[in-house]
Amino acid sequence: MSYQDRLLKVIPGGAHTYSRGFDQYPTNAPQILTGGKGAYIFDPEGKRYLDYGMALRAVNIGYAEDVIDNAAIEQIRNGNNLTRPSTIELDAAELLVEQIDSVDMVKFTKNGSSSVSAAVKLARAYTGRELVARCAEHPFFSYDDWFIGSTPLTRGIPQETLQKTKLFRYNDIASLETLIAEHPGQFACVVLEPAATEEPRDGYLHKVQELCKKNGIVFILDEMITGFRWHMKGAQHVYGVTPDLCTFGKAMANGFSVSCIAGRREIMELGSIEMEGRERLFLLSTTHGAEMSGLGAFVATVKFMHEHKVVEHLWDYGRKLTAMMERQAQAHGIADSFKVGGAACSPFYLTLDKSGANSLALRTLFSQEMIKNGVLMPWIALSYRHGDAEIALTEQAIDAAFRVYGRALEEGTENYLQGPVIKPVFRKYN
């Protein structure tokens, strides 16, 4: 029995994140991994792959980074989870408040879904409203019903919940203005990422902030991906906006399970307990939310990033990588089909057919050929441990993959694909 069969027998979907599922990778991808070090991962046979998945962007320094792992181990030896708040819990909270300009208070948890849902709950409590406006172009905010109900995957979600979340378009302020006008006085919050594949244009985020303020709507920025990659103070600092609430996770602890909801005291303290006689809001109450090992890793990660200028490295490496990929695409005559874009610290690539439409078949083929040449690149997530040797190895793999890609573009991907085409995560049917 294969690892994939064994996984599917005991885990629904075969993994604990749908983007790790077998339907997201070509058939020659490793079905299971045993470990990672630096920018590399290893399968049970000991085969090494240069990784650009980096644990779904959660690792921004490198796998098994000793100084960070040791900080986590130190907290494990301190007990890892105590009966009252721990000193590392206080240290971590004070560090985040000091680090992020918009933050007065913070609440830690273990995953981004919990953090963003907590932000939505706070906004609803603060405003007394129920509707949520969320950005259509940003692919994932939470596994909770308020978000999933706004995707094609509505099975198991009450009908009334489906009506509570409305969509607007990124870099299209008119779409948000129209939405608010159609539901006056009903929106609790606007939820979006500061940037994803597209960066803000023409002061877009400032316009969102002003629109929220004008209409008494809580402005929520989800910095799961942008945080600790765009800037140590978040992408909100890069783009010069001040959210009411913001969420962080992924890269904030170099792969350890740490996330948080943070923001203005006036809103955050609704989840507090010291105001006698005030109606309570039950915010986050998680046994493992302030697990000491993860928070120790967070504190060590921030220190490492400052000392080694990690963010600056991500931007520099990203510029070199994207320039190389564009140069290779030109050399192989596929520049109209394979495109690279996005912020240099977090670039993306597109695979387009001859009509200019996104092609999952070409994306599958590209990923398949990269794997053949020792590189796993389901998307592009960068780390401090991606350096000169890694960009050289990547260029060798790109050169080989583009040769096949170019032929498939002319002759058809069906002649080169070894298995089925990868599928969208958010699809109605399997």
Side-chain angles (χ1 to χ4, degrees):
M1 186 182 292
S2 68
Y3 286 115
Q4 182 172 298
D5 290 337
R6 289 171 61 188
L7 286 164
L8 289 167
K9 186 175 181 180
V10 292
I11 302 170
H16 284 80
T17 313
Y18 281 112
S19 53
R20 286 187 170 105
F22 73 91
D23 59 350
Q24 301 301 296
Y25 292 86
T27 53
N28 68 332
Q31 295 182 2
I32 201 167
L33 299 169
T34 57
K37 183 66 178 176
Y40 297 86
I41 50 176
F42 307 90
D43 69 14
E45 287 70 49
K47 186 171 182 180
R48 186 182 81 160
Y49 301 85
L50 173 59
D51 188 24
Y52 282 96
M54 299 311 292
L56 282 61
R57 296 186 171 87
V59 175
N60 63 335
I61 295 173
Y63 291 114
E65 194 65 43
D66 290 344
V67 67
I68 295 167
D69 293 351
N70 289 338
I73 291 166
E74 179 183 349
Q75 294 303 325
I76 289 173
R77 289 177 175 145
N78 285 337
N80 199 44
N81 209 338
L82 307 176
T83 306
R84 297 296 309 278
S86 65
T87 53
I88 192 65
E89 182 176 346
L90 177 59
D91 291 344
E94 289 179 336
L95 175 61
L96 190 88
V97 170
E98 180 185 355
Q99 184 74 42
I100 310 298
D101 294 338
S102 67
V103 171
D104 298 320
M105 301 183 81
V106 58
K107 190 97 170 181
F108 292 108
T109 184
K110 303 306 286 183
N111 63 73
S113 289
S114 298
S115 295
V116 184
S117 288
V120 169
K121 187 175 187 178
L122 276 171
R124 283 172 164 165
Y126 182 71
T127 61
R129 304 169 181 175
E130 293 188 354
L131 295 190
V132 174
R134 71 96 169 165
C135 186
E137 283 77 17
H138 298 162
F140 188 77
F141 290 107
S142 177
Y143 51 58
D144 287 313
D145 288 357
W146 71 267
F147 170 74
I148 298 298
S150 67
T151 77
L153 299 170
T154 57
R155 187 177 182 184
I157 300 176
Q159 187 63 35
E160 57 268 25
T161 302
L162 305 183
Q163 309 305 317
K164 301 293 185 183
T165 300
K166 311 294 183 183
L167 277 61
F168 64 93
R169 310 286 300 189
Y170 190 77
N171 269 333
D172 181 359
I173 196 64
S175 70
L176 183 57
E177 290 171 335
T178 300
L179 202 59
I180 293 171
E182 289 173 349
H183 306 276
Q186 296 182 59
F187 279 103
C189 57
V190 168
V191 185
L192 73 163
E193 297 178 60
T197 55
E198 194 177 353
E199 291 193 87
R201 299 191 305 267
D202 303 321
Y204 172 72
L205 289 178
H206 292 90
K207 293 174 183 176
V208 173
Q209 180 178 318
E210 291 164 8
L211 197 57
C212 287
K213 186 174 183 180
K214 177 182 176 182
N215 290 277
I217 298 169
V218 175
F219 176 36
I220 301 173
L221 282 183
D222 177 2
E223 294 229 40
M224 291 298 152
I225 291 174
T226 56
F228 300 94
R229 286 188 179 275
W230 262 245
H231 193 279
M232 290 300 293
K233 291 179 177 292
Q236 58 190 266
H237 179 81
V238 174
Y239 301 125
V241 291
T242 305
D244 297 310
L245 296 172
C246 50
T247 57
F248 292 88
K250 291 192 183 289
M252 70 186 294
N254 194 47
F256 282 86
S257 181
V258 180
S259 180
C260 70
I261 160 71
R264 285 171 46 199
R265 182 176 306 280
E266 181 183 5
I267 303 175
M268 290 291 296
E269 69 179 7
L270 293 178
S272 198
I273 59 173
E274 70 270 26
M275 291 77 172
E276 290 283 342
R278 190 177 72 181
E279 184 180 2
R280 291 184 64 187
L281 167 70
F282 202 85
L283 186 53
L284 286 168
S285 185
T286 55
T287 300
H288 302 289
E291 186 179 25
M292 295 158 66
S293 54
L295 295 181
F298 163 61
V299 171
T301 295
V302 172
K303 182 180 179 183
F304 186 102
M305 292 184 72
H306 279 298
E307 289 178 349
H308 296 272
K309 299 187 182 303
V310 170
V311 168
E312 291 86 344
H313 174 80
L314 300 181
W315 283 91
D316 181 60
Y317 186 91
R319 283 187 282 266
K320 292 176 182 176
L321 178 69
T322 53
M324 177 272 286
M325 295 175 79
E326 288 172 342
R327 184 175 67 249
Q328 284 285 349
Q330 287 283 353
H332 286 273
I334 61 169
D336 291 335
S337 176
F338 190 97
K339 295 186 178 295
V340 186
C345 65
S346 184
F348 67 88
Y349 64 86
L350 297 175
T351 53
L352 311 175
D353 63 21
K354 287 190 172 182
S355 71
N358 275 308
S359 170
L360 286 175
L362 283 168
R363 191 175 185 93
T364 308
L365 178 68
F366 171 71
S367 186
Q368 168 189 290
E369 295 305 307
M370 291 294 283
I371 290 167
K372 284 183 182 179
N373 290 279
V375 178
L376 187 66
M377 191 183 271
W379 50 82
I380 304 175
L382 308 178
S383 79
Y384 180 70
R385 296 303 177 189
H386 284 93
D388 292 342
E390 285 67 39
I391 206 162
L393 194 159
T394 305
E395 183 160 19
Q396 291 174 8
I398 288 279
D399 182 42
F402 279 178
R403 288 178 200 154
V404 178
Y405 189 105
R407 293 198 295 268
L409 199 58
E410 297 300 320
E411 302 168 19
T413 55
E414 64 276 7
N415 295 313
Y416 295 92
L417 274 176
Q418 297 174 348
V421 173
I422 58 176
K423 299 177 180 179
V425 169
F426 292 104
R427 60 187 190 273
K428 188 73 172 176
Y429 301 99
N430 285 324

